[in-house]
Amino acid sequence: MKTGRIEMSGQLTICECFARDGLQHETTDLATQTKIALIDAISEAGFARVEATSYSSPRHVPAFADASLVLSGIHRRPGAAYKATCPNLHAVKRALDDHAAGHGPEEISLLVSATQSHTEKNLRTTREQQWRNVAEMVALADGRFRLIGVISMALGCPFEGKVDPASVIDDLKVFADLGVRHVSICDTTGHGTPGSVRRLFTRAMAEVPDVTPVAHFHDTRGTGIANCMAAYEVGCRWFDSAIGGVGGHPTQIRYGGGYTGNVATEDLVNLFEAEGIATGIDIDRLQAASLQCERALGRELQSKVARTGFGHLAA
C-alpha cells in the first residue's frame, strides 16, 4: 500500500464521513461486510477522502470494534485516502500495526476540543493532557500517515457557551508547530453562523497559513450548508460531510439535546455543482450510495436532495 505524504490539487475536496462520524451516532451496529460494501460504494462515487473507521476503544465505542477488519476488506480507489480516527496513543499503535500488515489508513485524525468540559466528557482527560497525548501520537506516527488535526466545539459549546476564536487560532498554531498541516475546524453541535464562520476561517488562513483548514459543520440548527458556502467564499476548499446527514456525538455521550448530524453530502455536492463548482463526485453513483446507506440503516435519512433529486442546472 502507498503511505506517507499524499499530494492533492488545490481543487475542492470533500471527505465522506458516513462510515465513522455518521455511524458513531447509530444505536444499531452494522455488520462488517455491510460497512465494507458501503465504503466501496462511496469510493466508487469518486471521493478523494473517505473517513472509514475509528480506533476508539471498543468498550467505549463498540461500533468500531471491527476497525482493522474494515480497513483490510475495503477496495481502495487509486489516489483516494482512507482515514481512521485516533483518540489516543493506543489507537495510533493499532494504526501502525495495520500499516505493518499492509492495510493501514492513509490518514489518521488526532482529536482535541476547544473547551475543557467537552474534553473531559468526550476524551476523559484535560485539554493540557490531551495536547501532550497528541504530541506523543505525532511522534509515534513518525510520518507514516497524513495527520489530520481535529478541533471540536470550535464555534460554540453546549457546556461552556461561546468559544473565543483566538483560542481556536492558538490551537491551530499548536497543530502547526507539531507538523500537522490539515485541521478540521468543527462546529460539533451547530452553533456556527455564516458570519462567525467567515470571521474564523479568514483569521485561520491569515494567521496560520501553514495549515489547511477543513470545514466540518453539523446541521443541528439548519445552518450547515450556509456555513459551508461561507467558508468557501473566504477560501476554504476542504470539507467534511456525511451521506444522509447522519452523525453527531457517540450514542453514549449527549452533547445537548436533539439532532446533531453532519451536513448531508448529497445536499452539499448538489449546491456546489449547481453553483458551477466542480466536486469531482459522480452524481449517479452518489445517488446509488445514498440509497444503499438508507437501506443499511433501515430508515429515511436527512438529505433533502435524496428526496427531491439532484438539480443539474449550473448557475
PDB file of all heavy atoms in Angstrom, residues 18-19 23 26-39 41-42 243 246 288-301:
ATOM      1  N   PHE A  18     -19.625   9.236   6.408  1.00  0.00           N
ATOM      2  CA  PHE A  18     -20.718   8.370   6.842  1.00  0.00           C
ATOM      3  C   PHE A  18     -20.231   7.214   7.706  1.00  0.00           C
ATOM      4  O   PHE A  18     -20.823   6.897   8.749  1.00  0.00           O
ATOM      5  CB  PHE A  18     -21.461   7.815   5.620  1.00  0.00           C
ATOM      6  CG  PHE A  18     -22.580   6.860   5.948  1.00  0.00           C
ATOM      7  CD1 PHE A  18     -23.873   7.318   6.099  1.00  0.00           C
ATOM      8  CD2 PHE A  18     -22.340   5.495   6.110  1.00  0.00           C
ATOM      9  CE1 PHE A  18     -24.918   6.446   6.412  1.00  0.00           C
ATOM     10  CE2 PHE A  18     -23.359   4.622   6.417  1.00  0.00           C
ATOM     11  CZ  PHE A  18     -24.656   5.092   6.572  1.00  0.00           C
ATOM     12  N   ALA A  19     -19.151   6.558   7.285  1.00  0.00           N
ATOM     13  CA  ALA A  19     -18.742   5.302   7.911  1.00  0.00           C
ATOM     14  C   ALA A  19     -18.115   5.469   9.285  1.00  0.00           C
ATOM     15  O   ALA A  19     -17.951   4.479  10.013  1.00  0.00           O
ATOM     16  CB  ALA A  19     -17.771   4.545   6.995  1.00  0.00           C
ATOM     17  N   LEU A  23     -21.743   6.765  11.613  1.00  0.00           N
ATOM     18  CA  LEU A  23     -22.160   5.545  12.308  1.00  0.00           C
ATOM     19  C   LEU A  23     -21.963   5.608  13.813  1.00  0.00           C
ATOM     20  O   LEU A  23     -22.587   4.835  14.545  1.00  0.00           O
ATOM     21  CB  LEU A  23     -21.402   4.341  11.727  1.00  0.00           C
ATOM     22  CG  LEU A  23     -21.761   3.974  10.282  1.00  0.00           C
ATOM     23  CD1 LEU A  23     -21.031   2.703   9.881  1.00  0.00           C
ATOM     24  CD2 LEU A  23     -23.269   3.812  10.093  1.00  0.00           C
ATOM     25  N   GLU A  26     -25.216   5.938  15.638  1.00  0.00           N
ATOM     26  CA  GLU A  26     -26.262   4.929  15.464  1.00  0.00           C
ATOM     27  C   GLU A  26     -26.355   3.991  16.658  1.00  0.00           C
ATOM     28  O   GLU A  26     -25.342   3.666  17.282  1.00  0.00           O
ATOM     29  CB  GLU A  26     -25.999   4.119  14.193  1.00  0.00           C
ATOM     30  CG  GLU A  26     -26.040   4.947  12.922  1.00  0.00           C
ATOM     31  CD  GLU A  26     -27.398   5.608  12.719  1.00  0.00           C
ATOM     32  OE1 GLU A  26     -28.424   4.915  12.840  1.00  0.00           O
ATOM     33  OE2 GLU A  26     -27.414   6.824  12.452  1.00  0.00           O
ATOM     34  N   THR A  27     -27.555   3.596  16.960  1.00  0.00           N
ATOM     35  CA  THR A  27     -27.769   2.654  18.065  1.00  0.00           C
ATOM     36  C   THR A  27     -27.730   1.206  17.591  1.00  0.00           C
ATOM     37  O   THR A  27     -27.598   0.296  18.400  1.00  0.00           O
ATOM     38  CB  THR A  27     -29.125   2.917  18.735  1.00  0.00           C
ATOM     39  OG1 THR A  27     -30.160   2.852  17.754  1.00  0.00           O
ATOM     40  CG2 THR A  27     -29.135   4.299  19.377  1.00  0.00           C
ATOM     41  N   THR A  28     -27.824   0.981  16.278  1.00  0.00           N
ATOM     42  CA  THR A  28     -27.751  -0.364  15.714  1.00  0.00           C
ATOM     43  C   THR A  28     -26.444  -0.512  14.961  1.00  0.00           C
ATOM     44  O   THR A  28     -26.174   0.248  14.026  1.00  0.00           O
ATOM     45  CB  THR A  28     -28.924  -0.625  14.754  1.00  0.00           C
ATOM     46  OG1 THR A  28     -30.153  -0.465  15.465  1.00  0.00           O
ATOM     47  CG2 THR A  28     -28.846  -2.030  14.175  1.00  0.00           C
ATOM     48  N   ASP A  29     -25.631  -1.476  15.362  1.00  0.00           N
ATOM     49  CA  ASP A  29     -24.356  -1.701  14.701  1.00  0.00           C
ATOM     50  C   ASP A  29     -24.569  -2.410  13.364  1.00  0.00           C
ATOM     51  O   ASP A  29     -25.383  -3.327  13.258  1.00  0.00           O
ATOM     52  CB  ASP A  29     -23.438  -2.557  15.576  1.00  0.00           C
ATOM     53  CG  ASP A  29     -22.959  -1.830  16.812  1.00  0.00           C
ATOM     54  OD1 ASP A  29     -23.079  -0.588  16.846  1.00  0.00           O
ATOM     55  OD2 ASP A  29     -22.482  -2.496  17.742  1.00  0.00           O
ATOM     56  N   LEU A  30     -23.836  -1.964  12.360  1.00  0.00           N
ATOM     57  CA  LEU A  30     -23.866  -2.633  11.069  1.00  0.00           C
ATOM     58  C   LEU A  30     -22.821  -3.741  11.027  1.00  0.00           C
ATOM     59  O   LEU A  30     -21.758  -3.633  11.632  1.00  0.00           O
ATOM     60  CB  LEU A  30     -23.588  -1.633   9.949  1.00  0.00           C
ATOM     61  CG  LEU A  30     -24.588  -0.485   9.780  1.00  0.00           C
ATOM     62  CD1 LEU A  30     -24.212   0.352   8.567  1.00  0.00           C
ATOM     63  CD2 LEU A  30     -26.008  -0.994   9.656  1.00  0.00           C
ATOM     64  N   ALA A  31     -23.116  -4.776  10.274  1.00  0.00           N
ATOM     65  CA  ALA A  31     -22.159  -5.866  10.092  1.00  0.00           C
ATOM     66  C   ALA A  31     -20.933  -5.358   9.350  1.00  0.00           C
ATOM     67  O   ALA A  31     -21.010  -4.416   8.541  1.00  0.00           O
ATOM     68  CB  ALA A  31     -22.813  -6.997   9.303  1.00  0.00           C
ATOM     69  N   THR A  32     -19.805  -5.976   9.619  1.00  0.00           N
ATOM     70  CA  THR A  32     -18.552  -5.552   8.993  1.00  0.00           C
ATOM     71  C   THR A  32     -18.665  -5.557   7.476  1.00  0.00           C
ATOM     72  O   THR A  32     -18.236  -4.599   6.802  1.00  0.00           O
ATOM     73  CB  THR A  32     -17.410  -6.473   9.437  1.00  0.00           C
ATOM     74  OG1 THR A  32     -17.281  -6.408  10.866  1.00  0.00           O
ATOM     75  CG2 THR A  32     -16.099  -6.072   8.783  1.00  0.00           C
ATOM     76  N   GLN A  33     -19.234  -6.604   6.901  1.00  0.00           N
ATOM     77  CA  GLN A  33     -19.344  -6.677   5.447  1.00  0.00           C
ATOM     78  C   GLN A  33     -20.251  -5.595   4.891  1.00  0.00           C
ATOM     79  O   GLN A  33     -20.047  -5.100   3.776  1.00  0.00           O
ATOM     80  CB  GLN A  33     -19.824  -8.071   5.024  1.00  0.00           C
ATOM     81  CG  GLN A  33     -18.778  -9.154   5.187  1.00  0.00           C
ATOM     82  CD  GLN A  33     -17.485  -8.837   4.442  1.00  0.00           C
ATOM     83  OE1 GLN A  33     -17.499  -8.403   3.289  1.00  0.00           O
ATOM     84  NE2 GLN A  33     -16.349  -9.054   5.108  1.00  0.00           N
ATOM     85  N   THR A  34     -21.259  -5.195   5.656  1.00  0.00           N
ATOM     86  CA  THR A  34     -22.116  -4.096   5.225  1.00  0.00           C
ATOM     87  C   THR A  34     -21.333  -2.793   5.188  1.00  0.00           C
ATOM     88  O   THR A  34     -21.446  -1.999   4.240  1.00  0.00           O
ATOM     89  CB  THR A  34     -23.323  -3.957   6.168  1.00  0.00           C
ATOM     90  OG1 THR A  34     -24.073  -5.171   6.148  1.00  0.00           O
ATOM     91  CG2 THR A  34     -24.220  -2.798   5.754  1.00  0.00           C
ATOM     92  N   LYS A  35     -20.527  -2.544   6.221  1.00  0.00           N
ATOM     93  CA  LYS A  35     -19.687  -1.338   6.230  1.00  0.00           C
ATOM     94  C   LYS A  35     -18.735  -1.328   5.040  1.00  0.00           C
ATOM     95  O   LYS A  35     -18.554  -0.294   4.372  1.00  0.00           O
ATOM     96  CB  LYS A  35     -18.886  -1.261   7.529  1.00  0.00           C
ATOM     97  CG  LYS A  35     -19.703  -1.096   8.790  1.00  0.00           C
ATOM     98  CD  LYS A  35     -18.777  -1.113   9.999  1.00  0.00           C
ATOM     99  CE  LYS A  35     -19.537  -1.126  11.300  1.00  0.00           C
ATOM    100  NZ  LYS A  35     -18.631  -1.230  12.466  1.00  0.00           N
ATOM    101  N   ILE A  36     -18.123  -2.456   4.777  1.00  0.00           N
ATOM    102  CA  ILE A  36     -17.189  -2.546   3.660  1.00  0.00           C
ATOM    103  C   ILE A  36     -17.896  -2.236   2.344  1.00  0.00           C
ATOM    104  O   ILE A  36     -17.391  -1.472   1.502  1.00  0.00           O
ATOM    105  CB  ILE A  36     -16.537  -3.942   3.621  1.00  0.00           C
ATOM    106  CG1 ILE A  36     -15.573  -4.102   4.812  1.00  0.00           C
ATOM    107  CG2 ILE A  36     -15.806  -4.172   2.302  1.00  0.00           C
ATOM    108  CD1 ILE A  36     -15.060  -5.519   5.004  1.00  0.00           C
ATOM    109  N   ALA A  37     -19.083  -2.793   2.157  1.00  0.00           N
ATOM    110  CA  ALA A  37     -19.844  -2.547   0.926  1.00  0.00           C
ATOM    111  C   ALA A  37     -20.215  -1.072   0.784  1.00  0.00           C
ATOM    112  O   ALA A  37     -20.165  -0.503  -0.318  1.00  0.00           O
ATOM    113  CB  ALA A  37     -21.094  -3.420   0.903  1.00  0.00           C
ATOM    114  N   LEU A  38     -20.583  -0.435   1.897  1.00  0.00           N
ATOM    115  CA  LEU A  38     -20.930   0.986   1.849  1.00  0.00           C
ATOM    116  C   LEU A  38     -19.710   1.842   1.514  1.00  0.00           C
ATOM    117  O   LEU A  38     -19.803   2.774   0.702  1.00  0.00           O
ATOM    118  CB  LEU A  38     -21.526   1.421   3.184  1.00  0.00           C
ATOM    119  CG  LEU A  38     -22.901   0.828   3.538  1.00  0.00           C
ATOM    120  CD1 LEU A  38     -23.305   1.234   4.947  1.00  0.00           C
ATOM    121  CD2 LEU A  38     -23.957   1.255   2.535  1.00  0.00           C
ATOM    122  N   ILE A  39     -18.575   1.555   2.130  1.00  0.00           N
ATOM    123  CA  ILE A  39     -17.357   2.315   1.838  1.00  0.00           C
ATOM    124  C   ILE A  39     -16.950   2.120   0.380  1.00  0.00           C
ATOM    125  O   ILE A  39     -16.532   3.066  -0.301  1.00  0.00           O
ATOM    126  CB  ILE A  39     -16.228   1.920   2.797  1.00  0.00           C
ATOM    127  CG1 ILE A  39     -16.577   2.366   4.223  1.00  0.00           C
ATOM    128  CG2 ILE A  39     -14.896   2.544   2.357  1.00  0.00           C
ATOM    129  CD1 ILE A  39     -15.649   1.815   5.288  1.00  0.00           C
ATOM    130  N   ALA A  41     -18.957   1.558  -2.119  1.00  0.00           N
ATOM    131  CA  ALA A  41     -19.884   2.355  -2.930  1.00  0.00           C
ATOM    132  C   ALA A  41     -19.511   3.838  -2.877  1.00  0.00           C
ATOM    133  O   ALA A  41     -19.587   4.557  -3.885  1.00  0.00           O
ATOM    134  CB  ALA A  41     -21.314   2.142  -2.450  1.00  0.00           C
ATOM    135  N   ILE A  42     -19.121   4.294  -1.704  1.00  0.00           N
ATOM    136  CA  ILE A  42     -18.680   5.682  -1.538  1.00  0.00           C
ATOM    137  C   ILE A  42     -17.427   5.937  -2.374  1.00  0.00           C
ATOM    138  O   ILE A  42     -17.307   6.956  -3.061  1.00  0.00           O
ATOM    139  CB  ILE A  42     -18.435   5.980  -0.050  1.00  0.00           C
ATOM    140  CG1 ILE A  42     -19.782   6.069   0.698  1.00  0.00           C
ATOM    141  CG2 ILE A  42     -17.609   7.242   0.138  1.00  0.00           C
ATOM    142  CD1 ILE A  42     -19.655   5.981   2.208  1.00  0.00           C
ATOM    143  N   ILE A 243     -23.166  11.294   4.076  1.00  0.00           N
ATOM    144  CA  ILE A 243     -24.367  10.914   3.340  1.00  0.00           C
ATOM    145  C   ILE A 243     -25.557  10.856   4.295  1.00  0.00           C
ATOM    146  O   ILE A 243     -25.469  10.316   5.398  1.00  0.00           O
ATOM    147  CB  ILE A 243     -24.162   9.560   2.637  1.00  0.00           C
ATOM    148  CG1 ILE A 243     -23.267   9.751   1.404  1.00  0.00           C
ATOM    149  CG2 ILE A 243     -25.484   8.913   2.256  1.00  0.00           C
ATOM    150  CD1 ILE A 243     -22.890   8.467   0.694  1.00  0.00           C
ATOM    151  N   VAL A 246     -26.160  12.009   8.497  1.00  0.00           N
ATOM    152  CA  VAL A 246     -26.093  11.237   9.740  1.00  0.00           C
ATOM    153  C   VAL A 246     -24.918  11.697  10.589  1.00  0.00           C
ATOM    154  O   VAL A 246     -24.014  12.388  10.123  1.00  0.00           O
ATOM    155  CB  VAL A 246     -25.966   9.725   9.457  1.00  0.00           C
ATOM    156  CG1 VAL A 246     -27.200   9.199   8.754  1.00  0.00           C
ATOM    157  CG2 VAL A 246     -24.711   9.431   8.645  1.00  0.00           C
ATOM    158  N   ALA A 288     -26.706   6.367  -5.846  1.00  0.00           N
ATOM    159  CA  ALA A 288     -26.771   4.944  -5.530  1.00  0.00           C
ATOM    160  C   ALA A 288     -26.227   4.658  -4.138  1.00  0.00           C
ATOM    161  O   ALA A 288     -26.797   3.860  -3.375  1.00  0.00           O
ATOM    162  CB  ALA A 288     -25.995   4.150  -6.582  1.00  0.00           C
ATOM    163  N   ALA A 289     -25.110   5.313  -3.770  1.00  0.00           N
ATOM    164  CA  ALA A 289     -24.537   5.120  -2.439  1.00  0.00           C
ATOM    165  C   ALA A 289     -25.484   5.645  -1.369  1.00  0.00           C
ATOM    166  O   ALA A 289     -25.629   5.038  -0.296  1.00  0.00           O
ATOM    167  CB  ALA A 289     -23.185   5.822  -2.343  1.00  0.00           C
ATOM    168  N   SER A 290     -26.148   6.766  -1.646  1.00  0.00           N
ATOM    169  CA  SER A 290     -27.107   7.335  -0.695  1.00  0.00           C
ATOM    170  C   SER A 290     -28.236   6.354  -0.417  1.00  0.00           C
ATOM    171  O   SER A 290     -28.608   6.117   0.747  1.00  0.00           O
ATOM    172  CB  SER A 290     -27.658   8.654  -1.257  1.00  0.00           C
ATOM    173  OG  SER A 290     -28.692   9.167  -0.441  1.00  0.00           O
ATOM    174  N   LEU A 291     -28.784   5.769  -1.464  1.00  0.00           N
ATOM    175  CA  LEU A 291     -29.858   4.787  -1.293  1.00  0.00           C
ATOM    176  C   LEU A 291     -29.354   3.564  -0.534  1.00  0.00           C
ATOM    177  O   LEU A 291     -30.059   3.021   0.332  1.00  0.00           O
ATOM    178  CB  LEU A 291     -30.403   4.383  -2.664  1.00  0.00           C
ATOM    179  CG  LEU A 291     -31.544   3.359  -2.663  1.00  0.00           C
ATOM    180  CD1 LEU A 291     -32.736   3.866  -1.861  1.00  0.00           C
ATOM    181  CD2 LEU A 291     -31.953   3.026  -4.100  1.00  0.00           C
ATOM    182  N   GLN A 292     -28.132   3.140  -0.812  1.00  0.00           N
ATOM    183  CA  GLN A 292     -27.557   1.983  -0.137  1.00  0.00           C
ATOM    184  C   GLN A 292     -27.387   2.259   1.354  1.00  0.00           C
ATOM    185  O   GLN A 292     -27.640   1.387   2.194  1.00  0.00           O
ATOM    186  CB  GLN A 292     -26.210   1.639  -0.784  1.00  0.00           C
ATOM    187  CG  GLN A 292     -25.638   0.290  -0.384  1.00  0.00           C
ATOM    188  CD  GLN A 292     -24.436  -0.086  -1.235  1.00  0.00           C
ATOM    189  OE1 GLN A 292     -24.283   0.396  -2.370  1.00  0.00           O
ATOM    190  NE2 GLN A 292     -23.577  -0.946  -0.712  1.00  0.00           N
ATOM    191  N   CYS A 293     -26.984   3.482   1.711  1.00  0.00           N
ATOM    192  CA  CYS A 293     -26.838   3.846   3.118  1.00  0.00           C
ATOM    193  C   CYS A 293     -28.196   3.864   3.821  1.00  0.00           C
ATOM    194  O   CYS A 293     -28.323   3.405   4.969  1.00  0.00           O
ATOM    195  CB  CYS A 293     -26.160   5.208   3.242  1.00  0.00           C
ATOM    196  SG  CYS A 293     -24.400   5.223   2.797  1.00  0.00           S
ATOM    197  N   GLU A 294     -29.204   4.389   3.155  1.00  0.00           N
ATOM    198  CA  GLU A 294     -30.549   4.388   3.734  1.00  0.00           C
ATOM    199  C   GLU A 294     -31.027   2.967   3.996  1.00  0.00           C
ATOM    200  O   GLU A 294     -31.584   2.658   5.054  1.00  0.00           O
ATOM    201  CB  GLU A 294     -31.528   5.112   2.808  1.00  0.00           C
ATOM    202  CG  GLU A 294     -31.425   6.614   2.843  1.00  0.00           C
ATOM    203  CD  GLU A 294     -32.700   7.298   2.373  1.00  0.00           C
ATOM    204  OE1 GLU A 294     -33.535   6.637   1.715  1.00  0.00           O
ATOM    205  OE2 GLU A 294     -32.870   8.501   2.677  1.00  0.00           O
ATOM    206  N   ARG A 295     -30.833   2.101   3.037  1.00  0.00           N
ATOM    207  CA  ARG A 295     -31.266   0.713   3.198  1.00  0.00           C
ATOM    208  C   ARG A 295     -30.516   0.032   4.349  1.00  0.00           C
ATOM    209  O   ARG A 295     -31.101  -0.748   5.105  1.00  0.00           O
ATOM    210  CB  ARG A 295     -31.053  -0.046   1.894  1.00  0.00           C
ATOM    211  CG  ARG A 295     -32.042   0.349   0.791  1.00  0.00           C
ATOM    212  CD  ARG A 295     -31.693  -0.313  -0.527  1.00  0.00           C
ATOM    213  NE  ARG A 295     -32.703  -0.050  -1.548  1.00  0.00           N
ATOM    214  CZ  ARG A 295     -32.542  -0.293  -2.838  1.00  0.00           C
ATOM    215  NH1 ARG A 295     -31.379  -0.803  -3.288  1.00  0.00           N
ATOM    216  NH2 ARG A 295     -33.506  -0.036  -3.703  1.00  0.00           N
ATOM    217  N   ALA A 296     -29.225   0.331   4.468  1.00  0.00           N
ATOM    218  CA  ALA A 296     -28.432  -0.296   5.527  1.00  0.00           C
ATOM    219  C   ALA A 296     -28.938   0.109   6.908  1.00  0.00           C
ATOM    220  O   ALA A 296     -28.982  -0.709   7.834  1.00  0.00           O
ATOM    221  CB  ALA A 296     -26.963   0.070   5.374  1.00  0.00           C
ATOM    222  N   LEU A 297     -29.341   1.381   7.058  1.00  0.00           N
ATOM    223  CA  LEU A 297     -29.810   1.866   8.353  1.00  0.00           C
ATOM    224  C   LEU A 297     -31.306   1.649   8.546  1.00  0.00           C
ATOM    225  O   LEU A 297     -31.819   1.800   9.658  1.00  0.00           O
ATOM    226  CB  LEU A 297     -29.464   3.347   8.519  1.00  0.00           C
ATOM    227  CG  LEU A 297     -27.963   3.658   8.619  1.00  0.00           C
ATOM    228  CD1 LEU A 297     -27.745   5.154   8.787  1.00  0.00           C
ATOM    229  CD2 LEU A 297     -27.300   2.896   9.768  1.00  0.00           C
ATOM    230  N   GLY A 298     -32.001   1.332   7.466  1.00  0.00           N
ATOM    231  CA  GLY A 298     -33.405   0.969   7.575  1.00  0.00           C
ATOM    232  C   GLY A 298     -34.346   2.118   7.852  1.00  0.00           C
ATOM    233  O   GLY A 298     -35.421   1.932   8.443  1.00  0.00           O
ATOM    234  N   ARG A 299     -33.966   3.305   7.409  1.00  0.00           N
ATOM    235  CA  ARG A 299     -34.849   4.454   7.607  1.00  0.00           C
ATOM    236  C   ARG A 299     -34.507   5.543   6.602  1.00  0.00           C
ATOM    237  O   ARG A 299     -33.430   5.534   5.994  1.00  0.00           O
ATOM    238  CB  ARG A 299     -34.711   5.011   9.018  1.00  0.00           C
ATOM    239  CG  ARG A 299     -33.398   5.703   9.317  1.00  0.00           C
ATOM    240  CD  ARG A 299     -33.397   6.336  10.703  1.00  0.00           C
ATOM    241  NE  ARG A 299     -32.256   7.201  10.925  1.00  0.00           N
ATOM    242  CZ  ARG A 299     -31.050   6.797  11.276  1.00  0.00           C
ATOM    243  NH1 ARG A 299     -30.833   5.504  11.468  1.00  0.00           N
ATOM    244  NH2 ARG A 299     -30.076   7.659  11.454  1.00  0.00           N
ATOM    245  N   GLU A 300     -35.416   6.488   6.440  1.00  0.00           N
ATOM    246  CA  GLU A 300     -35.180   7.644   5.590  1.00  0.00           C
ATOM    247  C   GLU A 300     -34.211   8.587   6.298  1.00  0.00           C
ATOM    248  O   GLU A 300     -34.414   8.924   7.462  1.00  0.00           O
ATOM    249  CB  GLU A 300     -36.505   8.350   5.311  1.00  0.00           C
ATOM    250  CG  GLU A 300     -36.423   9.478   4.328  1.00  0.00           C
ATOM    251  CD  GLU A 300     -37.800  10.055   4.026  1.00  0.00           C
ATOM    252  OE1 GLU A 300     -38.589   9.367   3.335  1.00  0.00           O
ATOM    253  OE2 GLU A 300     -38.087  11.179   4.500  1.00  0.00           O
ATOM    254  N   LEU A 301     -33.188   9.026   5.581  1.00  0.00           N
ATOM    255  CA  LEU A 301     -32.177   9.892   6.177  1.00  0.00           C
ATOM    256  C   LEU A 301     -32.501  11.356   5.910  1.00  0.00           C
ATOM    257  O   LEU A 301     -33.551  11.682   5.367  1.00  0.00           O
ATOM    258  CB  LEU A 301     -30.786   9.491   5.668  1.00  0.00           C
ATOM    259  CG  LEU A 301     -30.404   8.023   5.964  1.00  0.00           C
ATOM    260  CD1 LEU A 301     -29.011   7.711   5.450  1.00  0.00           C
ATOM    261  CD2 LEU A 301     -30.519   7.704   7.447  1.00  0.00           C
TER     262      LEU A 301
END
